[in-house]
Amino acid sequence: MSALTFVAASDLPPLSQVTVWLNDPSNWTGPNGLLFHLRQHVIYTVVAVVIALIIALPIGLLVGHTGRGAFLVGGLTNGLRAVPALGLVVLLVVWLSPKIHLLQSVPGVVDHRGALPYLIPVEIVLVLLAIPPILINTYAGVQNVDPEARDAAKGMGMTGFQVVRKVELPCALPLIMSGLRSSVLQVIATATIAAFAPFLGGLGSYIINGAQVINDPHNGYPAMVGAGLVVAALALVAELSLIVVQRYVVSPGISGRFRKSKPTVQASDGTVVGTELAGV
Amino acid sequence: MSELWQYFRDNQSDIAGWTWTTVWLAGGSLLVGLLIALPLGWVASRYRWSYPPLVTLAGLVYTIPSIVLFVTLPGLLGTRVLDPINVGVALTAYTVALLVRVVADGLTSVSGDLLEAAAAMGYTGRQRLFAVQFPISIPVIGAGLRVAAVSNVSLISVASLVGVQQLGALFVRGSQTVTLVPIVLGVIIIMLLAFAFDAVILLGIRLMTPWQRAVRAR
């Protein structure tokens, strides 16, 4: 585990050094380059979000459809939002990692032997943080479906499953997508913190390692800010691509692109949905 | 449980100092953020053309991970890396980013009939804004404020990674000594603080919206 003691820096390398660092091709390529760490970061993110979707989407649809367990969903979401992500990462790494007796590396992602016991707890944290936005937005999306549309579907003889698949899911899709976007942003941000665990790398490793040698004009402050900018760029690209995906998957009749103003969407407990926390 | 208590007693003065730093960083950035977001949100609701750019800009700020802001701000502001003010500025930026849209949507959602009634009663534009439109949107703005408060409190701990001393320092200690006690204690105190902020705001909303209970009582 990295020690975090370093001297207070009064004369940091200037921000102009960041452009120099980012423009140096040798910082991008190679087995320890930005591209390699970017790839790790993306893989950690995608794995966590996909697992979270598999867990949260069915539960959200079920709770929204039946109306049972809504209290639990709301409480869980509010509770998890208060949990400090860094604390959870450190907790699981200290507590769970020594209990996992697998010495494998993860080929192509982390080549260190013994990386797996650290990757598993970190992925658990990422999944835990990715679930609430998807879950609450799926639930709220289904709850907000026009009851007449639901009744009409039932009246046409649709089974419960058909109502969920053909009416509630498409109608809730805008909110589900906005929950997914919050999740992705949150996981990208938290994966930066995950570099706190040994071996895992990711873009956060530049920030954690750079803090040790902060006055170094190459690997210190400039690398921290440079890698930080790459994380921010990744978050931005992810957000924009998901907005594009949303435009394609959401039916125009539902997205309200023909309407002039969008109504504010509120969950039944008064929480404003769609203003989920993203930065971590 | 007794170990937690023991650790708490042994490190009381450290923990009290860190808690205080966390409280004023979270509370201060929340207040300043709200004060900045109110006029911005009003502009976004009053002049429709300004809504998309303001809300998009706010969304962009929100995509920047906090650790990136904590690291970049010293270079931009000329502050020291360990200066807690960096954390305060970053959290204020997040609070503004979250609240601008909430304030704008809250103000916009006030029904036109209500505003017309106020106008008919002789309220001027400014009176309508401060005596009708803002109070009516308090529940919506308050809900946004609660989200901002809780996330602020738990975000602050990330600043430990760049060395700013606050409750997150307990996580660093725990990882350095590979002991669970300080980590668990840190998680517990931070969550309690978050819930305390939440409760205070909830109480504030209740006190500022007496008409809601009057309507319910009828």
Side-chain angles (χ1 to χ4, degrees):
Chain A
M1 187 111 332
S2 50
L4 280 141
T5 40
F6 58 89
V7 282
S10 49
D11 48 346
L12 285 175
L15 280 181
S16 56
Q17 235 1 79
V18 175
T19 359
V20 177
W21 189 81
L22 281 175
N23 274 317
D24 185 348
S26 66
N27 287 331
W28 285 86
T29 50
N32 252 321
L34 270 170
L35 287 177
F36 177 74
H37 287 111
L38 179 65
R39 184 162 160 272
Q40 287 180 321
H41 210 102
V42 171
I43 291 174
Y44 299 157
T45 304
V46 170
V47 169
V49 171
V50 167
I51 297 177
L53 259 180
I54 293 173
I55 298 173
L57 196 60
I59 299 181
L61 287 174
L62 194 72
V63 173
H65 181 73
T66 59
R68 279 182 205 162
F71 172 75
L72 241 124
V73 168
L76 189 80
T77 311
N78 283 335
L80 270 176
R81 195 183 282 140
V83 177
L86 177 66
L88 211 55
V89 170
V90 178
L91 183 72
L92 282 193
V93 165
V94 170
W95 174 64
L96 195 60
S97 296
K99 296 197 165 120
I100 304 174
H101 299 286
L102 299 166
L103 286 175
Q104 279 90 341
S105 61
V106 188
V109 185
V110 207
D111 287 324
H112 269 285
R113 254 177 82 76
L116 200 57
Y118 293 103
L119 185 56
I120 293 171
V122 166
E123 283 291 347
I124 292 177
V125 174
L126 295 182
V127 170
L128 278 180
L129 292 176
I131 286 177
I134 301 177
L135 185 58
I136 189 82
N137 276 26
T138 305
Y139 160 72
V142 174
Q143 280 284 299
N144 279 336
V145 172
D146 186 354
E148 286 182 13
R150 199 177 292 148
D151 285 348
K154 267 185 217 151
M156 283 169 70
M158 286 192 189
T159 63
F161 181 73
Q162 283 173 321
V163 174
V164 171
R165 203 174 63 85
K166 292 188 171 162
V167 180
E168 289 174 339
L169 181 63
C171 286
L173 213 47
L175 266 183
I176 296 176
M177 284 302 292
S178 96
L180 181 68
R181 274 159 43 202
S182 301
S183 281
V184 169
L185 286 186
Q186 183 146 357
V187 171
I188 288 176
T190 313
T192 318
I193 299 169
F196 196 68
F199 309 134
L200 294 191
L203 289 167
S205 54
Y206 290 93
I207 296 174
I208 311 257
N209 297 334
Q212 321 286 323
V213 287
I214 198 154
N215 284 320
D216 186 304
H218 188 77
N219 295 322
Y221 191 63
M224 293 167 81
V225 178
L229 290 179
V230 177
V231 178
L234 173 64
L236 197 62
V237 169
E239 172 82 356
L240 292 179
S241 355
L242 282 174
I243 289 177
V244 172
V245 170
Q246 186 170 350
R247 269 188 95 90
Y248 279 97
V249 296
V250 175
S251 149
I254 289 160
S255 66
R257 253 181 282 154
F258 302 133
R259 244 178 293 149
K260 276 193 178 145
S261 66
K262 259 191 260 175
T264 327
V265 185
Q266 264 183 279
S268 53
D269 63 344
T271 6
V272 181
V273 179
T275 53
E276 271 290 341
L277 152 79
V280 164
Chain B
M1 203 57 211
S2 61
E3 284 172 58
L4 284 176
W5 183 242
Q6 188 60 40
Y7 191 91
F8 180 73
R9 293 303 298 268
D10 292 346
N11 299 275
Q12 219 168 11
S13 61
D14 272 353
I15 292 176
W18 293 335
T19 307
W20 176 236
T21 313
T22 309
V23 167
W24 74 256
L25 276 178
S29 47
L30 203 63
L31 274 182
V32 177
L34 178 65
L35 288 180
I36 299 174
L38 282 176
L40 281 179
W42 174 76
V43 167
S45 84
R46 176 73 180 74
Y47 305 99
R48 292 312 290 179
W49 55 266
S50 67
Y51 182 89
L54 273 173
V55 167
T56 311
L57 193 71
L60 281 181
V61 172
Y62 230 70
T63 57
I64 309 173
S66 61
I67 183 142
V68 176
L69 266 190
F70 294 160
V71 164
T72 316
L73 282 173
L76 292 175
L77 303 174
T79 45
R80 287 180 303 114
V81 174
L82 293 179
D83 204 331
I85 214 70
N86 302 317
V87 181
V89 172
L91 294 181
T92 306
Y94 287 130
T95 309
V96 173
L98 193 144
L99 286 181
V100 163
R101 196 179 120 183
V102 174
V103 172
D105 291 347
L107 289 178
T108 309
S109 69
V110 174
S111 89
D113 290 350
L114 216 57
L115 295 176
E116 275 170 29
M121 284 171 71
Y123 280 54
T124 64
R126 193 175 305 164
Q127 282 172 327
R128 258 190 311 176
L129 177 65
F130 287 106
V132 181
Q133 211 173 357
F134 265 125
I136 293 286
S137 47
I138 283 176
V140 177
I141 298 175
L145 205 59
R146 289 174 63 192
V147 175
V150 172
S151 60
N152 272 5
V153 172
S154 55
L155 275 184
I156 290 176
S157 61
V158 174
S160 317
L161 292 184
V162 289
V164 180
Q165 293 293 308
Q166 27 65 41
L167 281 171
L170 284 166
F171 303 147
V172 177
R173 274 207 188 166
S175 77
Q176 278 167 349
T177 56
V178 198
T179 39
L180 280 176
V181 175
I183 306 174
V184 174
L185 192 64
V187 172
I188 292 175
I189 299 179
I190 288 175
M191 288 184 72
L192 286 179
L193 258 186
F195 292 138
F197 266 96
D198 196 40
V200 168
I201 297 171
L202 208 56
L203 188 71
I205 298 173
R206 226 182 121 83
L207 290 177
M208 288 168 82
T209 56
W211 64 86
Q212 285 206 317
R213 283 187 303 288
V215 168
R216 231 170 276 150
R218 254 195 293 158

